[in-house]
Amino acid sequence: MSEVKIMLPEKELPEAWYNIQADMEVLPPPPLHPGTKEPIGPEMLAPIFPMELIKQEVSRERWIPIPDEVRDILRLWRPSPLCRARRLEKALDTPARIYYKYEGASPAGSHKPNTAVAQAYYNKEEGTRRITTETGAGQWGSALAMACNFFGIECKVYMVKVSYHQKPYRRTLMHLWGASVVASPSEDTAAGRGILAADPDSPGSLGVAISEAVEDAVGREDSKYSLGSVLNHVLLHQTVVGLEAKKQLEIAGDYPNVVIGCVGGGSNFAGLAFPFLKDKMTDGKAMRVIAVEPTACPTLTRGLYRYDFGDVAQMTPLLMMFTLGHDFMPSAIHAGGLRYHGMAPLISSLCDQKQIEARAYTQNPVFAAAALFARTEGIVPAPETSHAIKAVIDEAERCKREGKSETILFNFSGHGHFDLSAYDGYLAGKLEDYEYPEERVRESLARLEGL
Amino acid sequence: MSEVKIMLPEKELPEAWYNIQADMEVLPPPPLHPGTKEPIGPEMLAPIFPMELIKQEVSRERWIPIPDEVRDILRLWRPSPLCRARRLEKALDTPARIYYKYEGASPAGSHKPNTAVAQAYYNKEEGTRRITTETGAGQWGSALAMACNFFGIECKVYMVKVSYHQKPYRRTLMHLWGASVVASPSEDTAAGRGILAADPDSPGSLGVAISEAVEDAVGREDSKYSLGSVLNHVLLHQTVVGLEAKKQLEIAGDYPNVVIGCVGGGSNFAGLAFPFLKDKMTDGKAMRVIAVEPTACPTLTRGLYRYDFGDVAQMTPLLMMFTLGHDFMPSAIHAGGLRYHGMAPLISSLCDQKQIEARAYTQNPVFAAAALFARTEGIVPAPETSHAIKAVIDEAERCKREGKSETILFNFSGHGHFDLSAYDGYLAGKLEDYEYPEERVRESLARLEGL
């Protein structure tokens, strides 16, 4: 029997994050002030982020040391396993070798704690006593709640209202780890009250929840804000995933031809892909890197590459990114983590430079891929992760057609134990295959023209 | 930083199960026929179990080889990590060293697949095309569904009706892995129809569901029955847990003074404890072994050691065991896996021989222990597992009082991601501290006197 799991000892937990900004020929243009539209300096972000994270946001250093206090918590579940999906390969009868980096073993069940712990740590170091954030389905909120709990920081989560009511379990998880959670839009902020005044039944959105969390943090001396994806420092913290995977593939004597991850804001994809993109960009390694998104929120495949706000209320700086427009309202697909109108500027830039490719899938084929994975490998993937799995299967089938024994690596970003109602819908044949209408994409993007 | 996780490479996955019957001075007396009350031979069990499992049930061989086909699936998640709970130790300010064997990383989230895979394999080998079973909250049903799926065997699960409706997610998990699930009592069996005739609103119980699953299997040529705990062969298959833990503690240069597990039917407890009890029984190692149960179902602490049925309908053989009476109806505590009136005969016998101790806790202190664990170590434990954690904390506090740096080892039998509604109740202060009334225990046991 050859091994299916490649483990690293704890001492192999990376000692530094990999900062892709050191190796990109073209860097994303700077964020702009939401009012003046001028590039913003570090001091303007100081009310919402600790200085060390602001420095990381703009650093060109290739390696940024991971503080021991952060590693000391990450090692509760890291290094995570790299697994060879031999049973899936066999079911597909493919000559491809399929590996997945399993991030579902973290206490929150996803990759999100990798950055939550780092962000909580730097906030603690700089005296922050309270952190605000937003969450959709709750993966990010629960990760940050856990991280704040470890560092004794108060945590307030604005949870998109529709998820707050439909997904009470992740809310419980946040409570268990000591966070307070409120449905967004809420009465706690001017942004929330404004939206409720216009529509008391507003289901909320990530864009609205971000507005509320930022407003809350800016308004209180003791508070800062934390974001779970999109920003450079968040992607940086996720590179432990790819750095570990490289060591593990080296042990296996293998190297990927194709690297795959699902993208919402982009952090799990970047975490796995950036350390490999380094080889592609600096050593000319031949490699395809594929970002996978839902057709219901087709940011990379159908959005524009331009400046846009990160939130509905236009409170965040303008970021240069692929976007569907900051007032874009995606359909209620089950992959809640992929329903964001924008995309990380670093990923957007790399996509614009053709270093990475993007593709989009509808829900039913994605869940069919997830079911095949669960029936062959056992583990049940989150709906977000299942988008990556669908692309992996398509690539493995291509390898079969072409007779190529390529190596495919993907990020298994989270388990689906919190998403079984979505599987229920799939098994009952009740999922809709949303394609966001071209017309509404155009309308949404047209509204950006005045910016 | 010293390590918190002790990992074993896949090649260290045990090659044989440890059979404690080889080392027990006094063996449990044999099962009796439910009608004649005479000891039953293997041939009488043949309609419900494959012959290889019947042989394991009575084997005195110390080591029973694990088939390669079984190891080939176990290695999807095994060997499981042994973790040192350093942050919990620190929070308790205890000189004790606390280790836990983490069984929550299996695709079903608990230790149950360890035996489900073995049972499905032997059934497949002997031509079984369909397996029936019962499940309470769904941990066992989902584990068996996954195992049957791997071997291409049809799986029918009788799920206790109250859980069927209250816990739809594990039901979905079973569906995803291809099993069919019916609420018990059901119209599919005479046992079910009888109970429904008397009480159409019967919430069901494990005892009833067992009756239905056994009746179904006996009535069909292509079907056998599978049990997730209690029986000797089930406990045997779980010994991979303790065998791995021994190797891992050896790597850590440590050995337990106290071994702890929660008990329902007893399989996770036995899986961890038996390989250590071997040292206690054969090498005279000084060691305390503690089985932890809920006060709402106090089988070991307040039951009788005598022959009783495993099910309500009196269809199973009579087993010599600690029992609260086969018609015992436990309160609706959240630790569904611990609500069984009986106890594994091997554990009952060892308890009767004072090789192990037993204790019981009410719900609120158990959830308080779970919350402390989640806030220090991150991982959220299942309510069943939390019973063990409560005992661990009590022992660690004793060590502090006595100034003893003992080593405490426990089985982290499953994660609590499916049990967050229970945590919700706990955090809202809504859990009841059931003590099963002494009078009702007496009544239930009195009804056994005619047997």
Side-chain angles (χ1 to χ4, degrees), chain A residues 180-208:
Chain A
S180 63
V181 188
V182 65
S184 165
S186 78
E187 294 286 349
D188 296 6
T189 67
R193 288 188 294 271
I195 286 163
L196 287 174
D199 175 12
D201 296 326
S202 164
S205 74
L206 268 183
V208 172

Side-chain angles (χ1 to χ4, degrees), chain A residues 1-11 68 71-79 83-84 86-87 100 102 104-109 146 149-151 166 168-173 175-178 370-371 374-380 415 417-421 423-424 426-427, chain B residues 1-11 68 71-79 83-84 86-87 100 102 104-109 146 149-151 166 168-173 175-178 370-371 374-380 415 417-421 423-424 426-427:
Chain A
M1 289 197 303
S2 33
E3 303 209 326
V4 299
K5 297 185 305 301
I6 302 148
M7 309 298 300
L8 288 177
E10 249 167 71
K11 63 179 162 46
D68 278 348
R71 296 177 74 234
D72 199 38
I73 291 179
L74 294 184
R75 73 200 178 110
L76 292 175
W77 68 92
R78 305 206 70 85
C83 305
R84 172 95 182 259
R86 290 184 187 274
R87 301 174 61 86
Y100 62 97
Y102 185 59
S106 85
M146 180 182 80
N149 153 80
F150 283 141
F151 290 104
Q166 280 176 2
Y169 297 126
R170 280 203 203 258
R171 191 178 48 175
T172 305
L173 203 49
H175 285 153
L176 180 59
W177 282 320
R375 288 167 190 165
T376 51
E377 296 293 320
I379 304 175
V380 178
H415 70 59
H417 288 177
F418 294 111
D419 303 284
L420 289 169
S421 64
Y423 279 94
D424 224 17
Y426 166 68
L427 294 170
Chain B
M1 289 197 303
S2 33
E3 303 209 328
V4 298
K5 296 185 305 301
I6 302 148
M7 308 299 298
L8 288 177
E10 251 167 68
K11 63 178 161 49
D68 278 349
R71 297 176 74 234
D72 199 39
I73 290 178
L74 294 184
R75 73 200 178 110
L76 292 174
W77 67 93
R78 302 205 74 84
C83 306
R84 172 96 182 259
R86 290 183 187 275
R87 300 174 62 88
Y100 62 96
Y102 185 57
S106 85
M146 180 182 80
N149 152 80
F150 283 141
F151 290 104
Q166 280 176 4
Y169 296 127
R170 281 204 202 259
R171 191 179 47 176
T172 305
L173 204 48
H175 284 154
L176 181 58
W177 282 319
R375 287 166 190 164
T376 51
E377 296 293 319
I379 304 177
V380 178
H415 70 58
H417 288 177
F418 295 111
D419 304 284
L420 290 168
S421 65
Y423 280 94
D424 223 19
Y426 166 69
L427 293 170

Side-chain angles (χ1 to χ4, degrees), chain B residues 18-22 24 26-29 56-57 59 230-236 239 265-266 269-270 274 277 281 300 305 319-322 343-353 355-356:
Chain B
Y18 168 62
N19 180 13
I20 200 168
Q21 295 186 74
M24 285 170 71
V26 184
L27 281 175
Q56 290 178 3
E57 196 63 19
S59 170
V230 178
L231 299 181
N232 302 350
H233 67 270
V234 182
L235 277 53
L236 174 79
T239 58
F269 168 78
F274 283 6
L277 276 166
M281 295 190 301
L300 286 175
Y305 185 48
L319 298 174
M320 183 70 180
M321 60 182 178
F322 275 88
M343 183 58 60
L346 286 172
I347 293 173
S348 297
S349 172
L350 289 162
C351 198
D352 185 57
Q353 294 165 51
Q355 292 285 359
I356 63 179

